[in-house]
Amino acid sequence: MLTRSNSLCLLGGWLDACALWRLYLPYLNLPGSSFFIFAQKPDWTKIAGADIVVTQRCCTQQQYEFLATCRGLGMTVVYDLDDQVFDIPEKNPAAAVLHRYRDGFKQCMSIVDIITVSTRTLAKVVRRNISHPHNRITGKEIPVLVVENRLDERWFSQPAQPDDKLIVGWAGSSSHVEDLEIVQDTLKATALEYPGVLFQFRGMHPPETLRELPNVTHELWTPVPEYGARMPQWGWSIALAPLTDCEFNNAKSSLKIVESAHCSIPCLASWQRPYDEFCSYDPELRWLLCAGQSSWASKLRVLINEPARRKELGSRMNKVMHEHYSWSKTHEGWTEVLSTARSL
């Protein structure tokens, strides 16, 4: 059989961060692959020529039929998952919709050849929730492979050097409402204590208790195609990554801290699995992990008042990112996916 290197078609579910990290950045680093997002019906002339098709978030009858058609064309079907869709917190805006499609996710997964996930924790969740670990059509076992998110240091611009204005930043969507509650009181007290420090929210508006403070600002969303160029130019001095303790969040990857690491700025984060895993590569970075309310307050004050500490921790984060979370080296996860797909 003729073997074609990287003959795979990566199909983003929509123009969002999930498609960016899971499929577009791999596309940039797998020469010979293709990447598409179809607003309406898929264009088979752009898909059918590939040996492998990678999809994401398939959960409807139409998507099930699409996967079945791919199989009928002799393509190896890879189903990628970046979130714990089986147990979504009620405060997440997508919870009501995704709960209705829980069985749809499982049915679509039952006819694919490979399932890829972003973390080892998510892999365990998927294996626990799949009632049919074998493909309904072929009878073969469906491997669940871990393909971690990695940052492309070429696609992300070189970070701007923070100026004299110290900025504490947070960015995210309304799905993080509950997470922000962790640091809300700390941010208000710190903003009042340090009127010369700017507290910047990007994406979702800041909590109501912070909106009237003169040193709290809000910036609009950054378009996903421009994110890599714009995010490093925000000029933040300190980043924040609060995260509640729940099964949904524990299955996440550590993207917030990875992005901050690219910019060589320290990121205070909740002491949860995704961020603890990143910090495990350098024990000194565990100082950035906050186990309770008092930790957030005291550590934020330290970072505000000690520029040398900010620089040291930011430098250590950048080193960990480059060595373990960058496309600067061969991605073992994608290598395993391609090798497994060719062996089926």
Side-chain angles (χ1 to χ4, degrees):
M1 177 183 290
L2 176 65
T3 299
R4 297 185 295 172
S5 177
N6 297 345
S7 176
L8 71 160
C9 181
L10 302 120
L11 300 178
W14 194 243
L15 191 61
D16 56 17
C18 186
L20 166 65
W21 284 95
R22 300 302 296 161
L23 302 184
Y24 184 70
L25 294 185
Y27 154 70
L28 294 180
N29 288 275
L30 297 171
S33 65
S34 59
F35 173 86
F36 300 101
I37 294 177
F38 299 108
Q40 302 298 325
K41 293 182 179 180
D43 183 347
W44 286 103
T45 64
K46 294 181 170 62
I47 300 172
D51 297 334
I52 306 164
V53 62
V54 185
T55 66
Q56 58 179 187
R57 292 203 297 255
C58 290
C59 59
T60 68
Q61 179 63 36
Q62 292 84 356
Q63 290 166 339
Y64 181 94
E65 292 169 0
F66 170 82
L67 297 176
T69 301
C70 289
R71 291 204 51 79
L73 292 172
M75 305 172 76
T76 299
V77 180
V78 179
Y79 186 114
D80 183 70
L81 194 64
D82 192 33
D83 273 322
Q84 211 280 54
V85 297
F86 307 105
D87 185 21
I88 301 174
E90 292 302 324
K91 288 190 178 182
N92 189 309
V97 174
L98 293 181
H99 283 165
R100 293 200 298 269
Y101 287 100
R102 184 183 286 121
D103 188 59
F105 282 107
K106 295 179 181 180
Q107 293 300 320
C108 286
M109 290 180 189
S110 72
I111 62 168
V112 303
D113 299 292
I114 300 170
I115 297 174
T116 55
V117 296
S118 52
T119 69
R120 290 188 293 273
T121 301
L122 186 53
K124 294 177 183 177
V125 172
V126 170
R127 293 187 184 104
R128 188 170 70 240
N129 279 275
I130 295 180
S131 55
H132 299 281
H134 292 78
N135 186 296
R136 288 178 181 273
I137 299 173
T138 66
K140 295 182 179 180
E141 183 178 356
I142 304 172
V144 180
L145 306 180
V146 179
V147 182
E148 294 184 329
N149 289 320
R150 288 193 183 175
L151 185 144
D152 189 328
E153 296 173 83
R154 302 167 304 167
W155 193 75
F156 278 75
S157 64
Q158 288 300 305
Q161 296 299 314
D163 55 25
D164 294 336
K165 186 72 171 181
L166 196 149
I167 303 175
V168 177
W170 177 90
S173 68
S174 55
S175 63
H176 292 280
V177 169
E178 197 170 7
D179 299 327
L180 267 180
E181 292 176 359
I182 295 173
V183 296
Q184 183 171 317
D185 292 341
T186 292
L187 293 181
K188 182 175 182 179
T190 311
L192 290 169
E193 184 178 352
Y194 296 94
V197 175
L198 183 65
F199 292 78
Q200 187 177 94
F201 289 78
R202 287 183 171 268
M204 189 178 75
H205 283 275
E208 288 187 20
T209 58
L210 297 174
R211 294 178 191 175
E212 297 181 357
L213 299 180
N215 56 334
V216 174
T217 64
H218 172 256
E219 300 291 339
L220 297 176
W221 296 98
T222 297
V224 171
E226 302 173 14
Y227 189 77
R230 293 182 179 272
M231 180 269 166
Q233 305 306 310
W234 291 346
W236 287 1
S237 311
I238 303 166
L240 304 173
L243 198 65
T244 56
D245 184 10
C246 65
E247 188 172 358
F248 178 79
N249 284 338
N250 285 329
K252 283 180 172 289
S253 56
S254 55
L255 287 184
K256 285 186 181 295
I257 206 168
V258 168
E259 292 174 352
S260 299
H262 170 69
C263 300
S264 295
I265 60 171
C267 180
L268 284 180
S270 293
W271 204 319
Q272 300 299 337
R273 187 213 57 81
Y275 303 133
D276 179 65
E277 190 172 277
F278 179 95
C279 295
S280 68
Y281 291 106
D282 182 348
E284 292 295 325
L285 293 178
R286 282 211 162 97
W287 182 89
L288 291 165
L289 302 176
C290 301
Q293 194 73 30
S294 60
S295 296
W296 284 97
S298 62
K299 292 180 179 182
L300 183 54
R301 289 188 178 92
V302 169
L303 292 179
I304 288 174
N305 290 302
E306 299 183 17
R309 189 71 175 273
R310 294 199 302 269
K311 183 176 181 180
E312 170 67 14
L313 290 170
S315 177
R316 286 177 174 272
M317 284 177 53
N318 182 266
K319 186 173 185 292
V320 169
M321 182 279 298
H322 182 74
E323 293 179 355
H324 301 281
Y325 296 89
S326 167
W327 275 98
S328 60
K329 64 175 184 178
T330 300
H331 196 309
E332 299 86 353
W334 273 104
T335 298
E336 184 180 14
V337 170
L338 296 173
S339 173
T340 302
R342 295 188 185 107
S343 68
L344 295 175

